[in-house]
Amino acid sequence: MSVKRTDHGVRLTAGRRQSGFTLIELMVAVVIFSIGLIGLGATMALSIRSNNTAVQRTQAIFLAEALADMMRANDRGMWALAYDGAYPTGGSANCDAGCTFQQIAVRDQDLWSQMLQQTLPGAAAQVQCAMNGGRTPGVGIRRPPSGLCTITLSWSENVDAEGQASGLNQQTFAWAFNP
């Protein structure tokens, strides 16, 4: 090894100068980079799955609110227990003009059943309404304070991109409200 003096100070020089990376250093860098990419891919997959779950839960809340609004608009049908029962219903009702409150309830049930089947995978629902003390309101009385309705939805969570249930995690959302 020789000592060489320059304007900027003393610099040691060896017989050969090393330049670049060795093959082992390059392989270690590739392995570390690959592990990072695998971790990033796993994080993205978890993020997509979580987003899908959040969308389904938001849709369940939206569906419950939509049915509650339909029921509030037809309060006579609601207190006649025309909305009570299991969903989805199998049928179609047409109620264009001059419909009774029972016919409006059947139409609402069919429309909501279609929304339920199109929005949540493997969805089913149950509706139960009751007045405290067993009283039903008279004609023209809206939203009695002593009544209670419960909408319970269930569906299969963890659905893949093709809409196929994988992992079948059954979820339930129950909402009790005073119409």
Side-chain angles (χ1 to χ4, degrees):
M1 184 177 314
S2 64
V3 177
K4 185 175 182 184
R5 185 149 181 93
T6 63
D7 292 340
H8 301 292
V10 178
R11 187 168 95 184
L12 298 176
T13 59
R16 279 184 5 174
R17 285 185 39 182
Q18 179 182 358
S19 65
F21 296 102
T22 65
L23 186 58
I24 292 174
E25 290 171 333
L26 186 62
M27 295 289 285
V28 168
V30 167
V31 167
I32 291 172
F33 184 70
S34 298
I35 291 171
L37 286 178
I38 290 170
L40 182 64
T43 302
M44 288 187 64
L46 179 63
S47 173
I48 291 169
R49 193 175 312 120
S50 296
N51 188 33
N52 189 33
T53 299
V55 165
Q56 289 177 353
R57 292 178 183 188
T58 301
Q59 290 296 332
I61 293 168
F62 167 77
L63 286 168
E65 289 176 349
L67 182 59
D69 288 342
M70 289 177 184
M71 292 168 68
R72 286 183 185 119
N74 183 14
D75 61 342
R76 288 187 62 206
M78 176 179 50
W79 295 121
L81 306 180
Y83 289 92
D84 286 17
Y87 291 80
T89 60
S92 62
N94 186 359
C95 185
D96 292 333
C99 302
T100 66
F101 64 88
Q102 289 99 346
Q103 291 170 324
I104 294 170
V106 170
R107 183 203 58 201
D108 290 347
Q109 287 175 324
D110 292 339
L111 290 173
W112 194 75
S113 292
Q114 291 173 14
M115 289 170 43
L116 182 67
Q117 291 173 322
Q118 293 170 355
T119 305
L120 293 174
Q126 184 73 31
V127 175
Q128 183 71 38
C129 291
M131 286 291 292
N132 293 341
R135 296 171 294 138
T136 56
V139 176
I141 298 174
R142 302 185 70 84
R143 297 187 183 97
S146 61
L148 185 69
C149 290
T150 304
I151 300 173
T152 306
L153 289 109
S154 61
W155 70 95
S156 299
E157 211 168 68
N158 295 339
V159 175
D160 61 17
E162 287 81 35
Q164 303 298 317
S166 60
L168 291 183
N169 186 10
Q170 196 69 17
Q171 291 295 322
T172 301
F173 172 72
W175 186 32
F177 65 99
N178 182 342

